[in-house]
Amino acid sequence: MVAKKLEQELWLLGMGDCDGRGKVVCKYLKESGYRARVANLEELSERRPLGILLDLSPYSADGWGIFLSLKRDPQTRDIAVLPIFLSEDGKIGGVFPAAGFFTLPIDQEYLKKRLVVMGLTEEAEVWDLQTLLVSRTGEESVADAVESLGFEVVKAYTGKEGIALATTEPRYMAFSTLMLPDMSAFELMDRFRLYPHTKNLPFFVLMKEAMKEGEKLAMGHQIEHLIRKKELSQEEFLRYLRKRG
């Protein structure tokens, strides 16, 4: 019974010693039937949560560092992570769901394995389907892995170009590097939600294995302008968890 309960537990990371900032999130989750608590990255050596909610705001305790550590480690990269933005006093300003996160340089076999496990490759055997890849460099290794699964890859080199290509013709799924010349992947994902053809498009984010402190701070401020001025209600927040199934 104890093991079963632990498997259903959601962890909130990025709080450091300021665990009080996580009270609102944990309260919302617990009132909705989830077991949730503030945790530390080191605890993953002993147990695994059902999923992780990770604060990536400028007020987090190295949220981006934790994120990269989770996704580059083969032992933890399969754990579902939901990035969130918490204000200085812990109010939920925004949620940034993606179908998945991968680190660069890409592990081609792992990428292909994850797409197969998610059931995203089955229709490629029957239909001519296109995948959108948005990156300033083209990420040939990612394109090669996706093409080997039967998809045609359409490339965009800026966020605006990605939006144009995604809204003119149907795309089956999309990949974007975290930092684009004109916007972040989170902003691109947010804009995709505005269009009928792209609002439910499986969207994957490609992250560098390491980020400089200035890059982490810049990304925190880049997503800060995407959040709503008022906090998300409990019902609004929980919709994102339900979408992730």
Side-chain angles (χ1 to χ4, degrees):
M1 181 66 71
V2 174
K4 184 176 181 180
K5 287 184 178 180
L6 288 174
E7 290 174 358
Q8 299 303 311
E9 193 171 60
L10 293 173
W11 289 3
L12 177 60
L13 297 185
M15 299 296 100
D17 296 329
C18 301
D19 56 0
R21 291 185 59 244
K23 286 183 179 179
V24 173
V25 174
C26 290
K27 175 176 178 289
Y28 283 176
L29 291 170
K30 289 176 181 178
E31 289 180 353
S32 302
Y34 293 95
R35 299 185 74 245
R37 66 181 178 87
V38 173
N40 294 309
L41 187 64
E42 293 73 21
E43 295 182 62
L44 288 170
S45 62
E46 301 177 358
R47 60 185 67 171
R48 291 288 185 273
L50 174 66
I52 290 172
L53 290 89
L54 179 60
D55 179 26
L56 295 181
S57 74
Y59 312 107
S60 72
D62 195 22
W64 287 102
I66 293 172
F67 205 175
L68 295 177
S69 178
L70 288 168
K71 290 304 172 181
R72 68 184 172 222
D73 186 345
Q75 299 299 316
T76 58
R77 62 188 179 185
D78 285 343
I79 300 175
V81 177
L82 181 62
I84 61 176
F85 187 104
L86 298 183
S87 67
E88 192 170 8
D89 58 358
K91 294 178 181 178
I92 307 170
V95 181
F96 305 96
F101 300 88
F102 299 96
T103 54
L104 298 171
I106 201 70
D107 180 337
Q108 290 188 329
E109 293 306 313
Y110 175 66
L111 171 61
K112 291 190 286 186
K113 173 187 172 183
R114 290 304 303 161
L115 296 181
V116 170
V117 168
M118 296 175 71
L120 292 173
T121 61
E122 298 172 1
E123 294 189 29
E125 301 174 1
V126 181
W127 308 101
D128 294 327
L129 301 174
Q130 293 183 338
T131 293
L132 179 65
L133 175 57
V134 191
S135 166
R136 73 172 72 200
T137 61
E139 297 300 340
E140 291 297 333
S141 184
V142 176
D144 289 344
V146 174
E147 287 174 342
S148 72
L149 294 170
F151 295 96
E152 177 186 352
V153 174
V154 177
K155 293 182 180 181
Y157 298 91
T158 67
K160 290 181 180 178
E161 185 181 1
I163 294 170
L165 289 174
T167 54
T168 52
E169 292 185 31
R171 314 296 175 184
Y172 188 70
M173 58 183 171
F175 290 82
S176 174
T177 49
L178 179 61
M179 292 177 277
L180 297 167
D182 53 348
M183 65 183 70
S184 70
F186 286 179
E187 181 174 352
L188 180 59
M189 185 167 54
D190 200 53
R191 293 194 184 189
F192 275 10
R193 294 179 194 156
L194 303 175
Y195 300 93
H197 292 314
T198 57
K199 65 179 181 180
N200 295 317
L201 191 71
F203 191 105
F204 297 91
V205 178
L206 306 170
M207 306 185 294
K208 296 191 300 183
E209 280 191 321
M211 294 172 66
K212 298 177 181 178
E213 290 305 314
E215 291 176 322
K216 295 176 185 178
L217 186 61
M219 276 303 305
H221 287 301
Q222 277 191 33
I223 64 173
E224 188 170 17
H225 81 274
L226 298 175
I227 68 172
R228 294 172 46 173
K229 291 185 178 180
K230 72 172 188 176
E231 64 180 305
L232 295 181
S233 68
Q234 179 173 346
E235 179 59 30
E236 289 171 326
F237 170 62
L238 291 173
R239 286 177 195 157
Y240 290 98
L241 275 75
R242 293 172 189 143
K243 286 178 183 178
R244 293 177 63 83

